[in-house]
Amino acid sequence: MLHPGDIEWKLGFDQIREKLKAQCLCSLGASAVDAMTFQASAVQISRMLNENWEFRQLLERYSDFPSNHYFDPTSLLATATVDGAYLEPADFLRIKQSLETIVSCIAYLTIRKNDFPSLFNLATPVHVNPEIIKEINRIIDEEGLVKDSASDELKKTRKLLREAQTRLRTQIEKAYRMAVAEQWVPEGGLPSIRQGRLAIPVLAEFKRKLKGYILDESATGQTVYIEPVEAIEVNNEIRDLEHAAQREVIRILKDLTSMLRMHIDDLKEAYRFLGYIDFTRARAMLSITLDATLPQVKDVPVLHWINARHPLLQFTLTGQRTVIPLTINLTNADRMLLISGPNAGGKSVCLKTVGLLQYMLQCGLLIPVSADSTAGIFNDMFIDIGDQQSIENDLSTYSSHLKNLAFFIEHSGPQSLVLLDELGSGTDPNFGGAIAEAVLETLLDKKVWAVATTHYYNLKLFAGNRPGIRNGAMRFDEQNLTPLFILDIGKPGSSFALEVARKTGIPAEVLEKAGKLVGKELMGFDSIVRTLEKEKHELAEKLNRLAIEQRQLEESIQQYNYLRNDLEQHKKKILDRAKQDAAALLQQTNREIEKTIRHIRENQAQRSETKKVRRNLQQIAKRVTEQHSQLPGSASGKIQPGDVVSIIGQEGAGTVLSIKGKHAQVQFGELKSKVPIVKLQKAGRRLLTDGAVPSGKPATGGLKLYEKQATFNPLLDVRGKRAEEVIPLLDEFLDTALLLGYRQLKILHGKGEGVLRTVVRSELKKSNHVETFVDEHVDRGGAGITVVVLK
């Protein structure tokens, strides 16, 4: 049940109908829009919603759905049912084209029946006899005319007609040339059709000179149009043939109309399908415009909408500002919501949003809410919105409100949705507020679902204390004195009457008196409400900042773990490389010693040879010492807390804070890092003089891995550099990449004469850290870029 009778106009649904009709391709779809009604059947509503949703998906994914030749033949089919009646050739052409569209729609949906099962079900009962289209094609051409080949008789008659017309033109042209030669024809005059017959224009003074029949004359009477006597018989023959051809055309059209009459029921069903497809397409187009979606629909009353938007506001504010969405939740435990807040703060818009979206949903339309919303089905919808004063029925505004409330109390129940705007207004606030509270309590006892708006203090207290109903507030910016149009559920809202009055220019002393007249109790309550709103807003901001900081912390931890894992991998690589270098050094040393012993024996330990051998051994010892000093952990002295150290192969120094097992915690500038001891070496005096600090104090010039990670670019651009400038840049680039754990790098050197490319690749070949390098893909730079893969 719906109340009042103009509920669609009050909610604005009449405008939704007009938007839908504007999307229809023919009057069949528009008629379906007019026939659309509020449904209470969950099965029917779900079916229509699924059709709407599938058609929206179809239009968004494909652009080739048949959309031409949508035609309403209702009046033509009515004519076709009358015996002896016939349709015109142009009518048959439109019927044929629309039937071809219907067949195309059926084939289209059949091919995609697995993707759009609900739409395919619409096409299942529809049947179009292909012989109808075939027969119309045989008889009617693409210009909407009957073909000569429609029958043998018509073909013969039209052939004779063309021959007679040719003879007529010959005779007319002969008579015309003679009249021109005799100067009987006015200057520029040409043969023309008069009374359906071909005639020659002749000056009135010579009309007796040309034998024939006068058919017409000019407006001035100076020219007459004469049918030459030689053409009269041919013109008569042509007229007879035209009549014969027309009789044959009518016979053919009657036969074709009789064929339609035999399939009239199938045709009506086919055009019902076309109209419904047009209607469903219009709903889908509206859904795309509104970005409407399919919420979860239950067959019981429920209302849990997330980011709901008023459709008409979306149309009105397009390109101006964004519609602020509404989130509202009514449950079995709390079936009622009482919304309060400032004037022009959005209370009524919120109320109408609930009413319009629920009405749209139960008419089978998708609604602009988030997809994770939940909607239910109501049997009744009752609204009391706007001024309903009636002079004819002797009703004041308040009387009409009371009449509506009486109707709601009598007819509403657990399956009813009631919307009440400015409940209790229009009369003495004390009595109006009392009546409004009693009405709310009665509706609560009847388990009615309702949304109401108010400014009344007693109703806010009632909603705060009574189970089953909750307060809701429209937010207000106290600093700028502007509404925010955001609904907060769980607390009452302030009307901000004094603040709004102050903004409009009412003197301060007047408002001060008003505040005293209101009383401390009401002012205190209003102040508490505003304080709660302000604190909630501040809390929301703090929570937002906390969430941002939490995300940043998680990112930092993730980055730390990445760097830690990267250091562990580098540790293993360095140790393996050190072991290989030590083994190679040992083998080389053994070979040198054996060679020396053999040399001493061969030269019988001569003094000069002994000195030479000793010098060689000293050089070997020096080389071994140098290589050993480069091995991890070979820095002189044991590393202790407080030592100034650096990572082997890296610049910058840090201070050892503590040592635990095989790892040391080192502070590099602002960064504390856990580093394997084997990767550290004492910084020595040079690094101390270059900026390191004594133990116990962090080195401000130390290594900042986070900064390197943030600023490092895995693409090195050396274009425009000289060859001697490239080598140190390349070395630093490779070292930083190894430290940060990059596996693949790119060097942009350009093509040109190939000098920079040769220098870069020569240095890459020398590096022990490079595994391979190749040209970039030809589509991404080819030989102008070298792609490097590190070990």
Side-chain angles (χ1 to χ4, degrees):
M1 182 186 298
L2 300 173
H3 184 83
D6 60 349
I7 186 171
E8 290 193 2
W9 176 77
K10 288 185 176 296
L11 291 175
F13 188 77
D14 58 324
Q15 299 178 57
I16 298 296
R17 280 191 193 273
E18 292 304 315
K19 298 287 185 185
L20 280 172
K21 291 168 75 172
Q23 295 286 356
C24 292
L25 299 174
C26 71
S27 56
L28 286 172
S31 297
V33 173
D34 288 332
M36 177 177 57
T37 58
F38 182 87
Q39 302 285 332
S41 168
V43 174
Q44 177 80 354
I45 293 169
S46 295
R47 179 184 64 79
M48 294 181 68
L49 290 174
N50 286 329
E51 294 165 355
N52 193 345
W53 177 242
E54 288 184 5
F55 217 121
R56 174 181 173 172
Q57 292 179 303
L58 185 152
L59 293 178
E60 289 179 328
R61 289 163 58 182
Y62 307 105
S63 59
D64 57 345
F65 187 81
S67 57
N68 293 323
H69 304 302
Y70 279 64
F71 172 64
D72 182 0
T74 303
S75 61
L76 300 181
L77 294 181
T79 300
T81 57
V82 180
D83 289 336
Y86 65 91
L87 305 180
E88 294 296 330
D91 296 333
F92 278 111
L93 176 62
R94 289 194 291 270
I95 289 175
K96 183 207 75 167
Q97 290 172 335
S98 56
L99 288 177
E100 288 174 340
T101 297
I102 293 172
V103 171
S104 298
C105 290
I106 294 172
Y108 193 98
L109 297 177
T110 301
I111 292 173
R112 295 172 174 82
K113 62 182 179 180
N114 294 329
D115 294 332
F116 312 112
S118 298
L119 295 178
F120 172 70
N121 290 337
L122 296 176
T124 303
V126 182
H127 174 70
V128 176
N129 192 327
E131 291 300 320
I132 298 176
I133 299 176
K134 182 179 178 181
E135 187 64 11
I136 295 176
N137 267 329
R138 187 184 70 80
I139 294 173
I140 309 297
D141 65 14
E142 292 303 318
E143 301 297 325
L145 301 174
V146 177
K147 297 178 181 178
D148 292 353
S149 59
S151 72
D152 292 339
E153 181 65 24
L154 182 62
K155 184 176 182 180
K156 176 183 176 183
T157 302
R158 286 184 173 174
K159 180 180 179 183
L160 293 174
L161 179 61
R162 287 190 292 272
E163 291 174 352
Q165 289 171 339
T166 301
R167 291 200 310 274
L168 175 63
R169 283 193 297 272
T170 301
Q171 292 175 354
I172 291 293
E173 287 174 2
K174 181 179 178 181
Y176 174 73
R177 286 196 298 271
M178 184 269 293
V180 169
E182 295 293 338
Q183 296 184 346
W184 298 342
V185 177
E187 185 177 354
L190 294 172
S192 59
I193 301 296
R194 287 291 186 273
Q195 297 183 14
R197 303 166 79 92
L198 195 58
I200 297 173
V202 178
L203 293 171
E205 58 192 276
F206 301 115
K207 63 182 178 182
R208 302 299 180 188
K209 300 289 185 179
L210 182 64
K211 294 181 180 181
Y213 180 73
I214 298 176
L215 298 176
D216 198 2
E217 67 177 6
S218 66
T220 62
Q222 295 181 358
T223 303
V224 294
Y225 294 89
I226 299 176
E227 180 184 16
V229 66
E230 300 89 349
I232 292 176
E233 185 177 350
V234 180
N235 261 330
N236 290 338
E237 181 184 353
I238 289 173
R239 185 63 61 86
D240 288 342
L241 289 172
E242 286 175 345
H243 290 160
Q246 182 61 23
R247 287 193 297 272
E248 180 62 13
V249 165
I250 291 174
R251 184 193 68 78
I252 293 170
L253 293 177
K254 285 183 176 180
D255 290 346
L256 193 56
T257 303
S258 297
M259 185 192 68
L260 287 184
R261 192 179 303 119
M262 295 171 56
H263 301 280
I264 199 71
D265 291 336
D266 286 344
L267 290 174
K268 288 181 179 179
E269 181 64 31
Y271 281 104
R272 275 194 293 269
F273 165 75
L274 184 65
Y276 195 81
I277 285 293
D278 190 17
F279 168 55
T280 307
R281 176 187 171 279
R283 289 186 288 152
M285 294 291 289
L286 180 68
S287 302
I288 293 173
T289 302
L290 296 175
D291 192 22
T293 188
L294 177 63
Q296 182 183 356
V297 180
K298 296 187 176 181
D299 58 359
V300 295
V302 63
L303 203 154
H304 178 53
W305 294 344
I306 301 172
N307 294 330
R309 304 176 302 280
H310 195 292
L312 299 181
L313 280 182
Q314 285 188 254
F315 286 115
T316 304
L317 300 179
T318 300
Q320 300 179 23
R321 56 189 176 92
T322 305
V323 177
I324 298 175
L326 163 75
T327 296
I328 185 170
N329 183 26
L330 300 183
T331 65
N332 278 317
D334 294 302
R335 298 183 174 215
M336 282 193 187
L337 178 65
L338 182 70
I339 304 174
S340 51
N343 289 319
K347 300 189 302 298
S348 296
V349 172
C350 176
L351 192 73
K352 289 183 178 181
T353 301
V354 173
L356 181 55
L357 294 192
Q358 187 64 41
Y359 199 95
M360 288 175 61
L361 183 85
Q362 295 196 223
C363 285
L365 300 177
L366 301 181
I367 56 177
V369 298
S370 295
D372 52 351
S373 300
T374 303
I377 307 300
F378 295 92
N379 291 339
D380 314 306
M381 184 179 287
F382 304 140
I383 69 169
D384 182 50
I385 297 175
D387 186 358
Q388 302 175 49
Q389 186 175 17
S390 173
I391 297 176
E392 295 82 358
N393 297 322
D394 194 25
L395 286 175
S396 67
T397 300
Y398 185 63
S399 297
S400 64
H401 286 316
L402 292 178
K403 188 175 181 180
N404 283 336
L405 293 178
F407 184 90
F408 300 163
I409 291 172
E410 180 180 356
H411 296 93
S412 62
Q415 302 290 322
S416 303
L417 177 62
V418 176
L419 305 178
L420 304 167
D421 192 23
E422 299 294 351
L423 181 60
S425 64
T427 188
D428 183 291
N430 293 321
F431 289 97
I435 293 173
E437 184 174 338
V439 168
L440 285 180
E441 188 163 14
T442 302
L443 295 178
L444 275 171
D445 292 339
K446 298 187 73 171
K447 299 186 181 302
V448 172
W449 298 72
V451 179
T453 66
T454 189
H455 288 283
Y456 284 174
Y457 169 69
N458 67 306
L459 296 184
K460 299 176 190 179
L461 291 177
F462 173 78
N465 297 324
R466 178 70 153 79
I469 181 172
R470 286 184 294 173
N471 273 303
M474 301 306 298
R475 281 197 203 170
F476 191 78
D477 185 345
E478 282 193 70
Q479 290 185 344
N480 299 315
L481 296 179
T482 55
L484 299 176
F485 304 108
I486 299 173
L487 174 65
D488 281 338
I489 295 179
K491 66 179 182 63
S494 170
S495 296
F496 292 95
L498 296 179
E499 288 79 359
V500 174
R502 184 177 296 109
K503 183 181 179 181
T504 58
I506 294 179
E509 60 271 15
V510 175
L511 296 178
E512 186 177 352
K513 290 179 182 179
K516 292 178 180 178
L517 291 172
V518 167
K520 292 183 178 180
E521 181 181 353
L522 188 55
M523 287 291 291
F525 175 79
D526 202 56
S527 176
I528 291 173
V529 168
R530 291 200 300 271
T531 301
L532 286 174
E533 183 172 357
K534 183 178 180 181
E535 290 177 351
K536 182 173 182 179
H537 181 68
E538 291 175 351
L539 179 60
E541 290 183 345
K542 289 180 180 178
L543 289 175
N544 186 44
R545 288 197 300 270
L546 183 61
I548 294 173
E549 292 173 357
Q550 180 69 23
R551 286 196 299 271
Q552 292 174 344
L553 177 60
E554 291 173 356
E555 290 173 359
S556 298
I557 292 174
Q558 185 178 4
Q559 191 173 22
Y560 168 77
N561 290 333
Y562 168 78
L563 292 174
R564 179 180 177 182
N565 294 335
D566 186 64
L567 287 173
E568 290 293 333
Q569 293 175 5
H570 277 71
K571 168 189 172 182
K572 186 176 183 303
K573 289 181 180 179
I574 291 171
L575 287 176
D576 291 343
R577 192 178 303 129
K579 291 177 182 178
Q580 294 172 4
D581 293 344
L585 179 61
L586 181 60
Q587 292 176 0
Q588 182 182 358
T589 304
N590 286 335
R591 285 196 299 270
E592 292 291 340
I593 293 173
E594 290 174 0
K595 180 180 176 182
T596 301
I597 294 172
R598 186 169 58 254
H599 185 75
I600 292 172
R601 288 175 178 172
E602 290 174 355
N603 291 277
Q604 297 179 352
Q606 293 179 9
R607 185 176 181 84
S608 60
E609 291 299 324
T610 301
K611 289 181 178 180
K612 182 179 179 181
V613 168
R614 184 177 292 112
R615 285 196 301 272
N616 289 339
L617 287 176
Q618 288 174 349
Q619 291 177 358
I620 294 172
K622 182 179 179 182
R623 187 167 66 252
V624 170
T625 302
E626 290 175 350
Q627 293 191 21
H628 180 265
S629 65
Q630 296 175 5
L631 296 179
S634 63
S636 61
K638 186 177 181 181
I639 293 176
Q640 300 291 339
D643 287 347
V644 179
V645 296
S646 65
I647 296 177
I648 296 171
Q650 298 294 329
E651 296 179 357
T655 304
V656 178
L657 300 179
S658 62
I659 294 177
K660 187 175 182 181
K662 297 180 179 181
H663 291 78
Q665 187 177 32
V666 184
Q667 181 155 356
F668 296 99
E670 298 175 359
L671 174 68
K672 292 181 181 179
S673 179
K674 188 176 181 182
V675 184
I677 295 175
V678 295
K679 290 189 175 185
L680 297 176
Q681 63 183 3
K682 289 188 177 182
R685 294 183 178 275
R686 182 183 61 81
L687 286 175
L688 280 171
T689 59
D690 287 347
V693 296
S695 61
K697 296 181 181 179
T700 58
L703 180 64
K704 297 185 179 180
L705 294 180
Y706 285 143
E707 292 180 4
K708 283 181 177 288
Q709 182 76 28
T711 58
F712 181 74
N713 186 350
L715 173 65
L716 176 62
D717 187 352
V718 297
R719 292 175 299 177
K721 305 287 186 185
R722 295 193 299 271
E724 57 268 27
E725 295 176 328
V726 170
I727 296 174
L729 287 175
L730 183 59
D731 290 339
E732 181 182 357
F733 179 64
L734 293 176
D735 289 343
T736 305
L738 286 167
L739 175 65
L740 299 179
Y742 280 82
R743 173 71 173 161
Q744 180 173 296
L745 306 171
K746 294 182 180 181
I747 302 171
L748 175 59
H749 42 65
K751 298 178 182 178
E753 298 179 359
V755 176
L756 289 180
R757 181 174 181 267
T758 302
V759 171
V760 167
R761 297 203 169 189
S762 175
E763 289 300 313
L764 292 176
K765 287 179 182 178
K766 297 177 184 178
S767 176
N768 294 327
H769 306 305
V770 176
E771 184 172 315
T772 60
F773 56 88
V774 295
D775 287 345
E776 175 64 282
H777 189 276
V778 67
D779 292 338
R780 295 189 291 272
I785 298 176
T786 296
V787 180
V788 182
V789 178
L790 301 179
K791 293 180 179 179

